[in-house]
């Protein structure tokens, strides 16, 4: 395990990235209240996000809820159309690809959705849900049923669960069904949107171990979106912190967790709860106040300035770019630590 | 405009200078403040608001009867936070849906659910419906299952008010805006016109919370209320829940698997496994004087914020038992490092985790307060856990005493 990690760090420098996202932008129209529901503005869900993912690497993505993590994940796989920017998977541009081409790419690049209930067809038993990608991509004939049973086992469900419908499962069980389905085609790249957030800590530990094993065995790469900072710290090689549609800090796990430089990252790490009642009772925790700004009218300059305790005038005037200060740990702040 | 509500609005309990900025957690102008903790919130009173007795739920299915909940009992006092934790699929949601009367028709429910002495399960549907949503409200795990995708968020919030009180729609709408503001949704007035899918996962969850507190409930059942939120918003929401609890003297039943959240927020903890409570006690007792191997296994599988990278996590080996064919004996036995023949043949009852007469923790005639301080475990061998410093080590050394 340690050796593959090490290799992956070297490869990050040398090999071409498996996934390259540049200046990705996604906007959603906002409608007025009149009968015609005219477009009166846009939600700037993702505003210029750039990411790199090397093979066998895990990129953790954390950030404020509503900051565009899921939208970024979906836009990578072209499940929502980016408004601008480029997404290259193994050098191929996806934003302009034909739907036949995309179907081919989706065989190797899958997604586990955040909301397991909304993303599983309620009318199908779980066996059929997991079989669906196998059928769509013509892999059902060679040992389909066995493969489904194996996938259920892999995520810690028993074959008896296969005949049940999504509403007959607990939240955590549904999330595992989503993971099993995504693994059905043996992908090379997985976008995991909150894959363990509905799981109890023991099952969560099992799924994290499973993802790590698969990565080692099959050379998978992950974009791992999550709120649980200790899980992200555990699984990620590199971490990107997002705030209101932008990446505000990125670096290796150690850089981000041990020397967080953006005020938002600092607040985030400070707010993470610890499973220790005595400590939790006395711990000083930064709680951000002020309104979470609207992505329809994001603040000028630095988008975090309305809640930042270090904000100066310049923060309202100039947008801080994500700049590397020579240590491979870029931060978008005029006054980074 | 809020006089028609018989209880104070949560925001009214805050100092009056909160004018335009009710949305923020504090009324100060500082952009950073230190979070309020459970210790700073008002303590529970002795007034029992909810008592669940011997609740069981079965689901008949084609493969057999799923015993989803078996013999769950607990009490909740005003202003108390009781947390339910446990294996995914252990019956946490189903047991609270039973309290709310929200289970599908196929469910077979037994036991009693007493809200201020009235048995909800024996009540007529009409009466129960009037309590539900008003006096007992719920924040669901999957917000999309509770929000209607074809109605705007504002309509749904206003509808929740109108369902229980005779106020002009305009006022209900204003109340809706206020609640959205309260849970920290920016530009609440505009956002009322949005549909649920136009919100992020976290914002939908905040809408759910707004919906749950809009009628000043006595009991708030929160099923994974912050799972979809980032930790800074989570901290805000949890603080908000504590404020709401104190403002309307609500009790909170908090279902979560985030043991960090439990540590910071719960007075007491109930641990479930395979549909039944296996350890119950005050938060410190459960965390520091763990008396049930399953709880120890849970605590041992948390990734730490300080462990070095590449270290494997330590999930509890094996999978939970089938709820259709429960093994005889202790349901945790197939995965327990301490299991022996006794464990495999008889299911341990939930009983005090101290020997009779032991520990000066309680005296005669204290039974009522005892219910809120006692430490119970369902394990034949809890004394072995009591005898070691760190019970999680049993999971690493095959059940040997360290
Ligand atoms: N289909 C849509 N139409 C309009 N707005 C949308 C749509 N989908 C997302 N948004 C908006 O885009 C922004 C980003 O949403 P997204 O779901 O990507 O956030 P997120 O970072 O995944 O949040 P969370 O952590 O809460 O899941 C939000 O403001 C959301 O309301
Ligand atoms: N309608 C149903 N029919 C059959 N079985 C059901 C039904 N609803 C729930 N179950 C089963 O009942 C058990 C308890 O489910 P519940 O949703 O209470 O779990 P939970 O403890 O809330 O888990 P999680 O932490 O994953 O949300 C599960 O094993 C589930 O599969
Ligand atoms: S640029 Fe200014 S407002 Fe933005 S994070 Fe840095 S100090 Fe704060
Ligand atoms: S009763 Fe036996 S099997 Fe069950 S938890 Fe206790 S020691 Fe383990
Ligand atoms: Mg999301
Ligand atoms: Mg649940």
């Amino acid at each position: 395990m340690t050796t593959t990690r090490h290799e992956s760090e070297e490869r990050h420098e040398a090999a071409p990235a498996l996934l390259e996202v540049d200046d990705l932008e996604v906007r959603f129209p906002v409608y007025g209240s009149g009968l015609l529901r005219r477009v009166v503005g846009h939600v700037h869900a993702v505003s210029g996000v750039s990411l790199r993912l090397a093979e066998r690497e895990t990129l953790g993505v954390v950030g404020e809820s509503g900051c565009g993590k899921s939208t970024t994940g979906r836009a990578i796989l072209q499940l929502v159309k980016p408004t601008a920017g480029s997404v290259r998977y193994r050098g191929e541009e996806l934003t302009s690809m034909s739907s036949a081409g995309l179907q081919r790419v989706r065989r190797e690049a899958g997604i586990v959705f955040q909301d397991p209930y909304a993303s599983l067809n309620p009318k199908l038993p779980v066996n059929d849900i997991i079989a669906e990608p196998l059928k769509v991509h013509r892999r059902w004939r060679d040992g389909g049923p066995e493969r489904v049973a194996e996938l259920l086992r892999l995520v810690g469900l028993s074959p008896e669960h296969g005949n049940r419908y999504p509403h007959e499962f607990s939240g955590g069980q549904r999330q595992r069904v989503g993971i099993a389905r995504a693994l059905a085609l043996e992908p090379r790249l997985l976008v995991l949107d909150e894959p363990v957030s509905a799981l109890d800590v023991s099952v969560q530990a099992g799924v994290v171990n499973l993802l790590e094993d698969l990565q080692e065995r099959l050379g998978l790469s992950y974009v791992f979106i999550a709120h649980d900072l200790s899980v992200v710290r555990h699984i990620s090689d590199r971490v990107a912190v997002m705030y209101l549609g932008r990446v505000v800090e990125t670096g290796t796990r150690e850089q981000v967790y041990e020397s967080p430089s953006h005020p938002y990252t600092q607040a985030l790490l400070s707010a993470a709860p610890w499973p220790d009642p005595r400590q939790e009772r006395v711990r000083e925790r930064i709680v951000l106040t002020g309104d979470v700004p609207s992505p329809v009218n994001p603040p000028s300059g630095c988008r975090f300035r309305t809640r930042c305790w270090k904000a100066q005038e310049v923060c309202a005037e100039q947008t801080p770019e994500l700049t590397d200060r020579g240590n491979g740990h870029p931060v978008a702040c005029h006054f980074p630590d | 405009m809020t006089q028609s509500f018989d209880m104070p609005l949560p925001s009214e309990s805050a100092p009056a200078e909160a004018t335009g900025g009710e949305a923020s957690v504090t009324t100060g102008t500082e952009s950073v403040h230190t979070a309020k903790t459970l210790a700073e919130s008002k303590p529970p009173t002795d007034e029992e608001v909810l008592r669940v007795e011997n609740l069981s739920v079965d689901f008949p299915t084609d493969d057999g009867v799923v015993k989803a909940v078996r013999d769950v009992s607990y009490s909740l006092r005003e202003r108390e936070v009781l947390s339910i934790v446990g294996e995914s699929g252990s019956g946490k949601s189903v047991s609270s849906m039973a309290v709310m009367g929200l289970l599908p028709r196929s469910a077979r429910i037994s036991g009693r659910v007493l809200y201020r002495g009235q048995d909800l399960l024996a009540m007529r549907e009409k009466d129960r419906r009037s309590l539900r949503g008003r006096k007992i409200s719920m924040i669901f795990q999957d917000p999309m299952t509770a929000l209607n995708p074809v109605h705007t968020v504002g309509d749904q919030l206003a509808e929740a008010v109108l369902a229980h009180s005779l106020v002009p729609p305009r006022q209900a709408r204003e109340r809706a805006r206020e609640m959205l503001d309260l849970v920290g949704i920016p530009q609440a007035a505009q956002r009322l016109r949005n549909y649920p899918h136009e919100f992020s996962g976290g914002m939908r969850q905040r809408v759910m919370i707004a919906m749950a507190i809009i009628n000043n409930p006595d009991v708030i059942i929160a099923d994974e209320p912050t799972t979809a939120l980032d930790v800074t918003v989570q901290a805000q929401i949890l603080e908000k829940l504590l404020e709401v609890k104190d403002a309307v003297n609500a009790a909170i039943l908090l279902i979560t698997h985030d043991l960090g959240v439990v540590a910071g927020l719960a007075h007491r903890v109930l641990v479930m496994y395979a549909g039944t409570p296996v350890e119950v006690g005050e938060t410190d007792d459960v965390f520091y004087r763990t008396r049930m191997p399953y709880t120890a296994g849970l605590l041992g599988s948390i990734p730490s914020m300080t462990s070095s990278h590449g270290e494997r996590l330590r999930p509890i080996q094996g999978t939970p038992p089938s709820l259709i064919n429960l093994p005889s004996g202790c349901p945790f036995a197939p995965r327990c490092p301490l299991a022996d023949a006794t464990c495999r043949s008889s299911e341990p009852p939930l009983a005090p985790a101290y020997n009779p007469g032991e520990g000066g923790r309680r005296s005669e005639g204290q039974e009522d307060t005892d219910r809120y301080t006692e430490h119970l475990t369902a394990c034949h061998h809890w004394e072995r856990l009591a005898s070691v410093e760190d019970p999680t080590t049993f999971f690493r050394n095959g059940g040997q005493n360290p």
Side-chain angles (χ1 to χ4, degrees), chain A residues 33 65 117 174 197 199-200 202 209 213 227 233-234 253 276-278 281 285-289 292 309, chain B residues 30-33 88 142 145 186 193 227-230 236 257 284 288 305 307 309 311-313 316:
Chain A
S33 56
S65 72
Y117 200 74
R174 283 200 287 262
S197 63
L199 305 177
D200 69 81
S202 171
N209 284 351
D213 288 345
H227 286 308
R233 180 177 185 277
H234 182 89
R253 180 191 57 250
D276 186 336
R278 274 183 213 135
R281 259 173 245 143
R285 190 199 331 241
I286 303 173
V287 169
L288 293 173
T289 60
V292 183
W309 59 96
Chain B
E30 290 290 300
S31 43
V32 170
H33 83 129
S88 158
D142 287 313
T145 61
R193 288 197 290 267
T227 306
L229 305 173
D230 71 280
Q236 283 181 342
H257 55 78
D284 280 18
Y288 301 126
M305 273 300 245
S307 70
H309 195 56
E311 222 173 83
R312 292 284 279 181
L313 296 180
I316 304 169

Side-chain angles (χ1 to χ4, degrees), chain A residues 58-133:
Chain A
T58 302
L59 173 71
V61 179
V62 297
E64 183 95 8
S65 72
C67 71
K69 302 181 296 296
S70 299
T71 307
T72 302
R74 285 164 188 252
I76 286 173
L77 297 178
Q78 308 300 306
L79 297 169
V80 295
K81 269 283 160 213
T83 322
S86 125
V87 177
R88 285 183 307 282
Y89 172 75
R90 296 219 261 163
E92 280 186 283
E93 182 60 51
L94 302 188
T95 52
S96 54
M97 200 177 258
S98 68
S99 57
L102 283 176
Q103 168 141 349
R104 175 174 51 80
V105 167
R106 288 198 189 118
R107 215 172 299 162
E108 3 188 299
I111 184 165
V112 175
F113 292 102
Q114 175 169 12
D115 195 336
Y117 200 74
S119 61
L120 301 177
N121 183 341
K123 299 209 176 70
L124 291 182
V126 156
N127 275 337
D128 292 1
I129 289 175
I130 298 174
E132 200 176 9

Side-chain angles (χ1 to χ4, degrees), chain B residues 267-280:
Chain B
H267 296 104
R268 288 189 301 135
V269 184
L270 184 148
V271 184
M272 302 254 302
Y273 187 78
T276 203
V278 293
E279 183 161 9
V280 186

